[in-house]
Amino acid sequence: MEFLNDMLAELTGYSPQDLVHGEVCSIDPLIHPDDRPRVVRAVGIAIEKNEPFVVEYRFRTRKGDMLHFEERGRPTRGADGNPLFVEGVIFDVTERRRREEQQRRTVEALKLSEEKYRTLTESLPVGVYEFDIQGRFLYVNRTAAETFGYSLEEALTLRVSDLITEENRAASMADVAQIMQGASIAGQRTFFRKDGTKFIGEIHSGPIIAEGRIVGIRGILFDITIKRRLEEELARSDKLESIGLLAGGIAHDFNNILTAILGNLSLAQDYVSDDGKAFHLMGETEKACLRARALTRQLLSFSKSKEPRKKTVLVEPLLREAVDFALHGANIRAEFRLQPDLSPIEADEGQITQVLNNLVINAVQAMPHGGLIRIEAANVAASAQGEGPLASGQYVKLQIHDQGSGISPEDLHRIFNPYFTTKKTGSGLGLAICHSIVKQHDGHIEALSSPGEGTTFNVYLPVATKRATVDKPPESPHVAGNGRILVMDDEDCVREVACRILNALGYETEAASDGAVAIDMFARARESGPGFDAVLMDLTVPGGMGGAEAAERIRERFPDAKIVITTGYPIDSVLTDCTLRDSAGFLVKPYTVEEIRAVMQSALA
């Protein structure tokens, strides 16, 4: 070292005397060992090529501090061209390097943070988006792109205006204006997908701020179409449940009225000649009452709970009744092709009726100008090899074919999906419910269709292992009744007709208006003399004690009491009450003289 100024001496902590008169390599121990080779090489190349050099290295001061020096120098040659020495200047760049290192770490931290942000947003099940103040997308995550039906690359070429429906445009512009004022917004808007379909999105958006100014908008998006439909379906289900309860109540009250009409008609026929015109007209009126009874049973099936209550059911009467009910008022004709020896099925009568109603109503809607529905039923056997969707076994195949416009191939495989519909006013739930019910019955439903060829629905239901019972009273000899009967019913007209029929059959009767009165009358009769041989007990008494509670209290005191339950509801829906299972008999309103005769004779046998 030939010369250094006072500033360099001050920086390094070495006096000029410490370093002057030494060679270049004499300061090597003071340069960081990792940097020495680079310094020597840079100076050597500069001397060899006679050109300037710039080299940066770390230098240890006398105090032990490590400084960053940037040295800028050049070789000086003598007259003979040989190098004499190297001269230059040294800058202390320690602070600059510290700032650069801090900046580098900050950038790396930002990159790591951004990577974490991207990784997080890409894994979120909600859409994340960013767009600039011109509405150009800067970023969308995969969920957002898929929600709109685009690839990530396609989404980044879009503007927000490409996705907003016309009816939401003004509201969306108002949202943007609020955010540009620094506000955050949340709301529901309707958007377009790539295929042109619409969906309801819930958005939460806020401003992107850089260097103190708003440069864009960032937010998240939820596709709430399914949520909205579920909410609507829940409301619809509540409404249907209310309608079902209303239908059940109306049917029950209507059955009480029909009981009086049908009972009096049955009695009146005994007072006229069976070959006269009046007898014929009474018979026609009785048939009309029986048709009305079938209608109320349809309403009661509609009001039943969703859990299947299976029993052995005859297919033909179920099929004919359900189809006739669904075709009331329609300009459609039904043609039945039923195998004569159809096997019974194990089914919830109300739920399978619902399936048949839905399928027939679909067929009617497919033929707005009228036409023919062909109804077929046959016994079939599933493949022993278990091919297809059915397990091996015996089934009844129900087939409903319409002459409508048919279903396109792309829609056919989706018709059983919830909420899928091709109708402008359809909910997309009818066929989904049919599919669910049939599956709960261990059966299978399928649709076959081609455009212009109509549609055929095939329903397969397992054959019952038990024999079917027909809903009619057993044959009984027409012998005169004998005994005392207590009749309990809250309806005056029903009590009167029941007593009138029983009196005509030879029984003595007394009447009670509710269960509490019936209990008191039954107990007093037993204690004071000849008691009642049986009680005809109405199950439902609005505002009073019904038949179930009254029957239980009577049996607690008089275990041998014979109680016949009468109700306007289907028997299978009331037998869930264990108290009623031990009853001496059941009568479903409205009943005829022959039905009440058979039940009472059986109860008192």
Side-chain angles (χ1 to χ4, degrees):
M1 179 73 71
E2 294 292 333
F3 170 77
L4 75 162
N5 65 2
D6 294 337
M7 178 63 71
L8 183 58
E10 184 179 343
L11 281 174
T12 62
Y14 292 98
S15 66
Q17 291 77 15
D18 294 329
L19 298 175
V20 172
H21 308 305
E23 299 179 357
V24 173
C25 63
S26 66
I27 66 169
D28 280 359
L30 304 178
I31 298 175
H32 194 286
D34 293 343
D35 297 341
R36 287 175 198 160
R38 182 160 43 83
V39 173
V40 172
R41 185 169 58 253
V43 174
I45 293 172
I47 293 172
E48 179 182 349
K49 295 183 177 181
N50 194 31
E51 61 184 16
F53 67 90
V54 178
V55 66
E56 189 174 317
Y57 51 86
R58 287 165 288 180
F59 189 93
R60 186 175 299 279
T61 67
R62 182 185 289 275
K63 293 180 180 180
D65 298 328
M66 189 68 70
L67 301 179
H68 285 267
F69 285 170
E70 180 184 286
E71 184 175 343
R72 297 173 179 267
R74 59 179 300 161
T76 300
R77 295 178 179 271
D80 57 359
N82 293 320
L84 297 177
F85 53 86
V86 174
E87 61 181 354
V89 293
I90 293 176
F91 300 92
D92 181 3
V93 295
T94 305
E95 184 60 27
R96 187 186 76 185
R97 287 301 305 273
R98 188 190 63 79
R99 289 197 303 269
E100 288 176 352
E101 180 63 19
Q102 185 178 15
Q103 186 176 10
R104 183 188 65 79
R105 290 179 179 176
T106 301
V107 170
E108 287 182 355
L110 287 173
K111 287 181 178 179
L112 181 60
S113 176
E114 183 178 2
E115 183 179 350
K116 288 181 179 179
Y117 168 76
R118 299 300 182 196
T119 302
L120 175 62
T121 56
E122 286 301 323
S123 63
L124 286 175
V126 298
V128 180
Y129 58 85
E130 294 179 352
F131 57 87
D132 62 21
I133 56 177
Q134 282 76 41
R136 294 184 296 253
F137 280 104
L138 304 172
Y139 170 75
V140 293
N141 70 346
R142 191 171 302 279
T143 302
E146 290 175 352
T147 300
F148 288 105
Y150 292 93
S151 67
L152 288 171
E153 293 75 16
E154 290 174 326
L156 291 175
T157 66
L158 300 172
R159 289 177 178 265
V160 176
S161 56
D162 298 328
L163 307 173
I164 300 173
T165 59
E166 189 61 38
E167 62 266 27
N168 279 177
R169 196 168 300 277
S172 297
M173 294 302 101
D175 291 343
V176 171
Q178 288 187 56
I179 295 172
M180 295 306 293
Q181 296 298 318
S184 295
I185 62 99
Q188 296 178 5
R189 301 287 180 260
T190 305
F191 298 95
F192 280 122
R193 291 191 177 92
K194 182 180 180 180
D195 61 6
T197 59
K198 297 179 181 180
F199 72 94
I200 303 170
E202 181 177 318
I203 57 172
H204 297 261
S205 301
I208 301 174
I209 300 175
E211 297 180 355
R213 62 189 184 92
I214 297 174
V215 297
I217 293 174
R218 175 187 294 123
I220 57 175
L221 166 76
F222 302 86
D223 181 353
I224 62 168
T225 307
I226 298 299
K227 175 187 174 185
R228 178 72 65 85
R229 284 180 174 174
L230 288 173
E231 290 172 349
E232 292 173 354
E233 176 52 25
L234 180 60
R236 187 183 294 113
S237 296
D238 290 341
K239 186 182 294 183
L240 285 174
E241 185 176 354
S242 299
I243 293 173
L245 292 173
L246 178 62
I250 291 173
H252 177 268
D253 291 344
F254 191 51
N255 273 339
N256 282 332
I257 298 171
L258 282 177
T259 301
I261 297 172
L262 190 58
N264 283 316
L265 274 173
S266 298
L267 284 174
Q269 287 175 316
D270 291 337
Y271 296 100
V272 298
S273 172
D274 58 4
D275 58 355
K277 189 173 182 179
F279 185 86
H280 172 73
L281 291 175
M282 289 178 181
E284 292 300 312
T285 306
E286 186 177 36
K287 289 179 183 178
C289 287
L290 293 174
R291 286 191 62 188
R293 179 169 70 175
L295 177 61
T296 60
R297 287 180 179 175
Q298 289 281 356
L299 290 173
L300 288 167
S301 294
F302 175 68
S303 69
K304 289 170 65 179
S305 68
K306 300 302 180 185
E307 290 298 323
R309 295 193 183 99
K310 297 180 184 179
K311 65 178 182 178
T312 304
V313 178
L314 293 174
V315 174
E316 182 172 350
L318 173 69
L319 193 57
R320 289 185 181 275
E321 187 176 337
V323 172
D324 290 344
F325 180 77
L327 289 182
H328 277 316
N331 58 342
I332 303 293
R333 183 170 60 89
E335 177 184 288
F336 290 89
R337 299 180 183 178
L338 310 180
Q339 183 175 317
D341 57 343
L342 281 173
S343 299
I345 58 174
E346 192 78 18
D348 182 309
E349 193 170 356
Q351 289 193 357
I352 297 302
T353 297
Q354 184 180 3
V355 171
L356 295 171
N357 284 342
N358 282 347
L359 295 180
V360 173
I361 289 170
N362 270 4
V364 170
Q365 293 174 341
M367 299 185 291
H369 305 296
L372 174 71
I373 297 177
R374 189 172 68 249
I375 315 294
E376 299 184 23
N379 299 324
V380 297
S383 168
Q385 287 75 30
E387 297 176 0
L390 291 172
S392 179
Q394 300 296 317
Y395 296 83
V396 173
K397 176 183 178 181
L398 309 178
Q399 189 175 80
I400 299 176
H401 175 75
D402 66 52
Q403 298 174 330
S405 56
I407 305 172
S408 65
E410 57 270 22
D411 289 340
L412 188 60
H413 73 281
R414 295 189 291 169
I415 60 173
F416 295 113
N417 293 348
Y419 304 112
F420 175 78
T421 180
T422 57
K423 304 170 189 174
K424 292 183 179 179
T425 58
S427 67
L429 290 171
L431 290 178
I433 291 172
C434 290
H435 184 272
S436 175
I437 290 174
V438 173
K439 287 297 182 185
Q440 284 182 331
H441 283 75
D442 300 318
H444 175 65
I445 183 172
E446 63 184 8
L448 308 174
S449 184
S450 298
E453 299 295 328
T455 302
T456 299
F457 282 94
N458 294 325
V459 178
Y460 298 84
L461 295 169
V463 167
T465 56
K466 301 178 182 178
R467 297 183 60 184
T469 57
V470 181
D471 289 335
K472 65 179 182 179
E475 294 292 333
S476 59
H478 289 194
V479 296
N482 181 28
R484 299 182 69 224
I485 310 297
L486 175 60
V487 177
M488 189 280 279
D489 201 292
D490 64 301
E491 290 285 344
D492 294 342
C493 60
V494 175
R495 287 198 307 272
E496 290 172 4
V497 74
C499 289
R500 195 175 294 134
I501 291 174
L502 290 168
N503 291 336
L505 292 174
Y507 298 99
E508 297 179 24
T509 60
E510 291 190 35
S513 59
D514 70 10
V517 175
I519 293 170
D520 182 60
M521 291 179 66
F522 191 91
R524 283 192 288 105
R526 278 288 183 97
E527 293 167 356
S528 62
F532 291 105
D533 296 286
V535 183
L536 187 65
M537 187 86 74
D538 182 30
L539 190 62
T540 306
V541 177
M545 184 187 295
E549 183 180 353
E552 183 176 7
R553 292 194 181 184
I554 289 175
R555 285 203 192 95
E556 286 176 356
R557 296 179 62 184
F558 309 102
D560 61 335
K562 299 180 184 298
I563 299 176
V564 175
I565 296 296
T566 177
T567 177
Y569 293 103
I571 288 299
D572 65 330
S573 67
V574 302
L575 285 182
T576 53
D577 190 328
C578 296
T579 305
L580 303 179
R581 294 177 187 171
D582 297 328
S583 298
F586 297 93
L587 268 175
V588 179
K589 299 176 185 178
Y591 41 77
T592 64
V593 171
E594 292 306 314
E595 289 171 343
I596 196 171
R597 181 205 305 272
V599 170
M600 294 310 299
Q601 286 186 2
S602 173
L604 296 174

